[in-house]
Each structure stands twice: as structure tokens, then as C-alpha cells.
Amino acid sequence: MGMLFSHDTLPQRVLFGTGKAAEHLGAEVDRFGASRVMVIAGRRDSDTVAGLTARLPVALHYSDIVQHVPIESAEKARAAARENDIDLLVCLGGGSAVGLAKAIALDTALPIIAIPTTYAGSEATNVWGQTEAGRKSTGVDARVLPATVIYDAALSLSLPVGLSVASGLNAMAHCIDSLWGPRADPINAALAGEGIRALADGLPAIVADPEGVHGREQALYGAYLSAVAFASAGSGMHHKICHVLGGTYNMPHAQTHATVLPYVLAFNAPAAPGAESRIAAAFGSSTALEGLNALRKRLDAPRALKDYGFDAADIPEAVSLILPVVPANNPRTVTAENLAALLAAAHRGAPTSAVSVGFPPPES
């Protein structure tokens, strides 16, 4: 029958250029005609923000940013925006800063200019998330899509190599998950394949030369592609797992994604030959899992969930929370038993080589 699919492209302006962030930000603030800007950035970025916004009409600098956007944090930030008559949000940093800006926009419909300094990708999606009573909820809303994204590799030079690796593998997870997400289509697949290639080029370059620009530019480019693909395809099995782990057990976002990814790939790839071959081609490897594992070895990537505070005793509860939200179109049928085995393997950092026929037994 040939190709048959539906694809939505999100309306967003992207400005890319190393050393150009201040120039691009100033032009965008003028374009919006803003007179009372709220700048959202962590305290460690205060000097960077001061330089970028020195000539802008900033009404409020806001730095109370919390991972996974607790509802209390969101409400406090929304109140601050209203009290200061804010007409434009500017966020700089990683996914937590962008997430807080989205939480404000969800309530106020204020436009957002996002300046990412990590590879989280939230800046390119219309997906919001927040945590209440230990449970993370997500949704899709046009109001939270940043109107403009400004990418400047120079702003990521302060991101430590280890966090760069974890954040970049989070972006890789966006690419891979989008190949079997609920709304996966050929356009998403093309973006994801190029995103994998760019990240596989950029991340080793960052490790080899942390002060170099090439690797960081490639990683930002790959992160953008990964997020666009993910926003269109929707959350697949990998993201459903990581959202539960992050929101329920307060685990670090990037490291959790980086750790879980090879296990989900090993689980799904044998049942998704088209996606598997595209991932392998993007890595330039004989199989998708071989390519990912080789990259992870070069990067000294995060290995085990137990290293980030996840307890094996929490696996049954995690399974009960994840299983109902796994998309129905996942390539392989997910059961309580094989999901528990996946989490157990990720918990201890077990090899993924035998996963296609069942996870390795627990270590004796």
C-alpha cells in the first residue's frame, strides 16, 4: 500500500551559533516587544545570565529550580510571574530550568525563549511534566512549547564531561524511543537516525576534548533532532520507565535515562527489525545494541541504577506503576515478569548481551 502516516511539525524558531547567544537573545526580546522579562536560571549560571541579559528589561531573576518540577515549586514560580507582571520568560540551563518555565507557561500562556546548556531536549518539545506526592505526571500542551530556542555551544563548556555524557545519552534515548513511540512515522525515524549519528560523533569528541566546540555543537544539534522526533512520536517504553523512576524515587534524570537505555534497546530491538537496522546504520555497526554498547564503553557511561539510589526492593512497586502506562504499540509484549527482569538487570548493571532471549539470571 506504500506509505501512510500523519505527521505534525511544531512551530518554533531555532537560532544556532557559537558565541551568538547574547546577540540572538537581544534580537528575540525586541521581536517580542517584551518589557518585563523573567529570567529562570540556576545560581551556578548567574554570571552567564548577567552577561547575556545586561541590556535587557529584566524584571525578575529566578533561581529556585528543583528537579522533576514539584507542584509546590511550580506554584511558587507562577505566583512570582504574576506578581511581577512578567510578559516573557527566558530560561537558561538544563531540563529542570526549561521544565519550570513550561510550568509557568502552562498556567499563564507566556512565551518562552529557551537557552539550553545541556542535551536534555525539553526546549524542543510541547511536553510538560511535574511531580506531586511522589508521582510524576506529564502532558502535551501547545502553550509550553518554547517560541524560540537559542543554541550556543560556548555556554555548554562548563558542563562537566560526566554530565555531558549522561545528558547526551538522554538525548540518544529520545532518538531510539521515537522509533517505536505511539506516533512513530518515517519523518521521526529520519530525524532520529541523524540525531543518533550526530550524538555518536559529538559525545566522544567532548570526552576527548572537553574545551573543544565541535563535539558540543554536534551534541546540541543531535539533541535538537532527538527532541523534535520525540515530541512527534510520543513517549515510548523507555520514557515511561524513566518518568516513573525519576518522579517516584527522585532519581537524577540524565543518569537514569543513560542507564536504562541499553536494556530497553536490548528488550525491544529483536522485535523491531526496521528500527534496529536504522539504529545500527546510524552507529555504523552491525547491530543496534553493539553500536550503543561500544559508544557507552568509549564514554564510560552510567552503568547501574543502584549507583543512583534505586533499591532492588522497589522493583515490584515500580513495575506496578510502569506497566499500565507502557504504550500498547511497544514492539514486544511487556509483562510484569519481563519488566521486573529488565529493571533488575538495570539495577545491578548486568550485561545486555543475552537480553534478546531473556535477561541474565540474578548474580549469585
Side-chain angles (χ1 to χ4, degrees):
M1 292 180 60
M3 288 188 179
L4 179 63
F5 64 90
S6 174
H7 179 88
D8 292 324
T9 299
L10 299 178
Q12 185 178 67
R13 189 175 198 203
V14 176
L15 301 172
F16 201 110
T18 300
K20 295 287 188 178
E23 176 186 335
H24 286 157
L25 179 58
E28 287 300 285
V29 171
D30 287 344
R31 186 169 73 90
F32 280 101
S35 60
R36 297 190 63 79
V37 177
M38 178 176 181
V39 178
I40 301 166
R43 291 181 180 85
R44 71 179 184 89
D45 292 316
S46 59
D47 290 342
T48 299
V49 166
L52 292 177
T53 63
R55 299 183 179 182
L56 300 182
V58 178
L60 178 64
H61 284 281
Y62 196 87
S63 61
D64 190 3
I65 301 168
V66 183
Q67 181 177 244
H68 303 303
V69 194
I71 185 65
E72 299 82 4
S73 176
E75 291 293 353
K76 181 179 177 182
R78 290 164 178 165
R82 288 191 293 267
E83 291 165 4
N84 286 274
D85 295 321
I86 298 301
D87 57 8
L88 177 66
L89 304 171
V90 173
C91 55
L92 180 144
S96 296
V98 178
L100 185 59
K102 286 182 171 184
I104 298 170
L106 186 65
D107 181 63
T108 63
L110 288 169
I112 302 171
I113 298 175
I115 309 175
T117 60
T118 72
Y119 313 117
S122 178
E123 70 279 356
T125 79
N126 56 355
V127 179
W128 58 266
Q130 62 185 29
T131 304
E132 184 173 10
R135 297 291 183 266
K136 186 170 185 177
S137 58
T138 62
V140 175
D141 195 298
R143 290 175 294 179
V144 308
L145 177 71
T148 303
V149 184
I150 297 173
Y151 290 107
D152 185 336
L155 299 180
S156 71
L157 290 173
S158 62
L159 188 67
V161 168
L163 190 50
S164 296
V165 166
S167 184
L169 289 173
N170 178 17
M172 186 75 73
H174 289 141
C175 292
I176 291 174
D177 224 22
S178 69
L179 292 170
W180 44 57
R183 299 181 301 279
D185 66 42
I187 296 174
N188 299 330
L191 293 170
E194 173 64 1
I196 291 169
R197 184 211 60 77
L199 290 161
D201 173 29
L203 295 177
I206 292 173
V207 173
D209 181 15
E211 300 302 315
V213 170
H214 167 78
R216 294 181 184 272
E217 285 188 335
Q218 286 295 302
L220 284 174
Y221 166 61
Y224 170 73
L225 293 174
S226 75
V228 173
F230 171 70
S232 176
S235 293
M237 177 184 179
H238 171 90
H239 279 79
K240 296 302 184 182
I241 291 172
C242 292
H243 287 164
V244 168
L245 295 181
T248 305
Y249 307 105
N250 196 33
M251 297 182 64
H253 184 84
Q255 291 88 343
T256 300
H257 280 268
T259 302
V260 169
L261 179 59
Y263 298 99
V264 174
L265 179 59
F267 183 86
N268 273 344
E276 201 281 338
S277 62
R278 185 179 288 272
I279 297 166
F283 279 125
S285 60
S286 58
T287 71
L289 191 58
E290 178 185 285
L292 178 61
N293 282 341
L295 176 65
R296 286 172 50 81
K297 185 175 181 180
R298 291 179 68 187
L299 301 177
D300 190 23
R303 294 182 180 86
L305 292 177
K306 65 182 181 181
D307 297 334
Y308 302 101
F310 184 59
D311 195 311
D314 291 323
I315 290 176
E317 179 189 39
V319 168
S320 71
L321 296 172
I322 295 165
L323 197 57
V325 295
V326 173
N329 74 318
N330 192 68
R332 181 175 172 186
T333 300
V334 182
T335 67
E337 292 74 21
N338 60 30
L339 180 55
L342 187 156
L343 291 176
H347 169 263
R348 65 183 186 275
T352 57
S353 56
V355 174
S356 61
V357 292
F359 284 88
E363 296 170 347
S364 57

